[in-house]
């Protein structure tokens, strides 16, 4: 008998069709009424869940008596209560690697967008303000040759650092728990303490996973350590930054600007950030290209399929639960 897969966020028709080869697939449909009610009704029969962007832990999964695997269509897995998954023996998979380059592209787009004020000046141009040659009020600042500080030199951090080093002749600084000697050699990257990096870098780029150790890593004290000419770029997770303190730092000129793809609460609505021309705000689109989202979907399906058919999946986050 086929096992049952339940989607906990929107999945494409193509994804559903791929899964239907091996499984009964249930995709809650807003046209059929309340999505949460449909999810809860189907949950007791589900052997596998697939999706992204939803908190899953004891409160949500208590009724999921047959659940074996949750396949997240994301690299980050801070939405899942891993302790609870481990207690229940539920395997969790994610989608690393396939989004590294696209997410690094977006990180660099935020660096460029902040430095050259692209969104702000686009709005200014369309509002009809361009009536003479631009002057200092519209000037930005250079990116090439500046210091790029990477907080979390993992795969995505290294991909951003490569763009900075080889595309823009930037000096790369990094901070983290482990020394990365291969990347130091490849990129000329220099290890700093977080405080040193904050004080030195022109662009501070946050690329760390969210954990107890990184929650509110950047608060009032850290923002004050940054140069008034520096920019904070966050493509990690919103809660890595104390958002109220960031708003204050942007209002007071403690730092020059911020490029943000992630927020304490998403979707971002009615935020003081909307009133700040020196905040470039994007709607969590780090991996959101057609090619990358398709690759992530396929990777998540492969993981789910492999695990439900009894083989160890490629991207197992909690190997301790695997009894293979
Ligand atoms: C990821 O894959 O973790 C992206 O940030 C989407 O959540």
């Amino acid at each position: 008998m086929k096992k049952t897969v339940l989607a906990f966020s929107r999945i494409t028709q193509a994804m559903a069709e791929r899964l239907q080869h091996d499984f009964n697939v249930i995709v809650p449909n807003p046209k059929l009424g309340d999505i949460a009610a449909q999810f809860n009704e189907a949950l007791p029969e589900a052997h596998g869940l697939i999706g992204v962007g939803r908190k899953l832990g004891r409160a949500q999964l208590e009724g999921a008596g047959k659940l074996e695997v949750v396949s997240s269509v994301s690299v980050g897995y801070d939405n899942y209560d891993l302790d609870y998954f481990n207690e229940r023996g539920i395997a969790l998979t994610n989608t690393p690697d396939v989004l590294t380059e696209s997410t690094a592209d977006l990180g660099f787009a935020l660096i460029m967008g902040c430095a050259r004020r692209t969104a702000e000046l686009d709005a200014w141009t369309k509002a009809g303000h361009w009536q003479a040659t631009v002057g200092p009020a519209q000037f930005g600042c250079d990116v090439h040759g500046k210091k790029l500080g990477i907080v979390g030199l993992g795969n995505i951090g290294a991909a951003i650092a490569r763009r900075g080093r080889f595309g823009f002749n930037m000096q790369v600084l990094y901070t983290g728990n482990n020394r990365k000697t291969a990347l130091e050699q490849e990129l000329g990257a220099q290890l700093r303490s977080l405080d040193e990096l904050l004080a030195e870098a022109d662009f501070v780029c946050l690329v760390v996973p969210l954990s107890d150790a990184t929650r509110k890593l950047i608060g009032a004290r850290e923002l004050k350590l940054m140069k008034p000419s520096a920019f904070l770029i966050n493509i990690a997770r919103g809660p890595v930054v104390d958002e109220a303190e960031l708003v204050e730092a942007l209002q007071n000129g403690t730092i020059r600007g911020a490029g943000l793809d992630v927020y304490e609460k998403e979707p971002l609505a009615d935020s003081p950030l909307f009133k700040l021309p020196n905040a470039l705000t994007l709607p969590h689109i780090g991996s959101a290209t057609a090619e990358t989202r398709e690759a992530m979907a396929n990777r998540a399906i492969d993981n789910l399929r492999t695990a439900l058919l009894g083989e160890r999946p490629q991207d197992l986050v909690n190997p301790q639960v695997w009894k293979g």
Side-chain angles (χ1 to χ4, degrees), residues 7 58-59 111 164 169 236 238 283 296 312:
R58 188 180 300 278
I111 292 173
N169 194 28
M296 290 167 73
R312 186 189 163 109

Side-chain angles (χ1 to χ4, degrees), residues 52 73-76 99 237 284 287 296:
V52 64
V73 194
S74 67
V75 67
L99 46 58
R237 284 292 184 263
H284 199 149
S287 62
M296 290 167 73

Side-chain angles (χ1 to χ4, degrees), residues 16-198:
E17 280 167 16
R18 256 202 82 192
L19 286 163
Q20 275 157 0
H21 288 298
D22 299 293
F23 308 110
N24 296 318
V25 181
I26 303 173
V27 184
N29 181 346
K31 289 190 189 133
L32 302 178
D34 183 37
I35 293 265
Q38 291 175 54
F39 175 82
N40 287 332
E41 194 182 326
L43 195 58
E45 289 312 311
H47 300 91
L49 298 182
I50 188 164
V52 64
R54 182 166 178 166
K55 289 218 173 297
L56 293 178
R58 188 180 300 278
Q60 297 77 21
L61 297 180
E62 213 136 48
K66 298 182 180 169
L67 189 59
E68 297 169 31
V69 190
V70 173
S71 175
S72 186
V73 194
S74 67
V75 67
Y77 46 85
D78 44 286
N79 266 337
Y80 310 104
D81 180 345
L82 257 191
D83 289 339
Y84 177 69
F85 278 45
N86 292 341
E87 181 188 313
R88 287 268 315 268
I90 300 168
L92 175 67
T93 64
N94 67 342
T95 59
D97 310 327
V98 288
L99 46 58
T100 299
E101 298 299 330
S102 303
T103 308
D105 285 348
L106 195 272
F108 225 87
L110 283 171
I111 292 173
M112 295 298 291
C114 282
R116 302 305 298 269
R117 303 168 56 188
T118 53
E120 187 191 345
L121 292 176
D122 169 69
W124 182 85
T125 305
K126 288 173 179 164
H129 295 304
W130 187 22
Q131 283 158 11
T133 309
V134 300
Q138 286 76 43
F139 289 172
C141 71
D142 284 335
V143 173
H144 65 269
K146 294 284 178 70
K147 287 189 183 169
L148 174 59
I150 306 283
V151 180
L153 195 62
N155 290 343
I156 297 173
I160 295 172
R162 271 185 205 102
R163 284 157 176 73
R165 177 73 194 96
F166 300 122
F168 292 81
N169 194 28
M170 299 176 89
Q171 184 185 336
V172 177
L173 311 175
Y174 76 100
T175 187
N177 296 331
N178 301 313
R179 186 152 204 167
K180 310 273 175 142
T181 40
L183 287 170
E184 287 185 9
Q185 273 167 19
E186 179 193 342
L187 303 168
Q190 295 174 20
L191 182 63
R192 296 281 191 274
S193 69
L194 177 62
D195 285 3
E196 287 166 347
L197 180 145
L198 291 169

Side-chain angles (χ1 to χ4, degrees), residues 183-255:
L183 287 170
E184 287 185 9
Q185 273 167 19
E186 179 193 342
L187 303 168
Q190 295 174 20
L191 182 63
R192 296 281 191 274
S193 69
L194 177 62
D195 285 3
E196 287 166 347
L197 180 145
L198 291 169
E200 248 186 273
D202 298 297
F203 299 89
V204 173
C205 206
L206 305 176
V207 208
V208 281
L210 178 63
S211 67
D212 288 345
T214 60
R215 195 173 294 278
K216 299 220 166 152
L217 185 70
I218 304 296
R221 189 190 81 86
E222 290 71 25
L223 290 161
K224 284 199 190 92
L225 286 175
M226 289 174 65
K227 299 191 278 195
S229 57
F231 296 88
L232 182 74
I233 308 295
N234 189 4
I235 58 164
R237 284 292 184 263
V240 172
V241 176
D242 185 325
E243 210 164 278
E245 293 296 348
L246 175 62
V247 167
E248 213 172 302
L250 291 169
Q251 283 166 342
N252 297 342
T254 306
I255 63 172

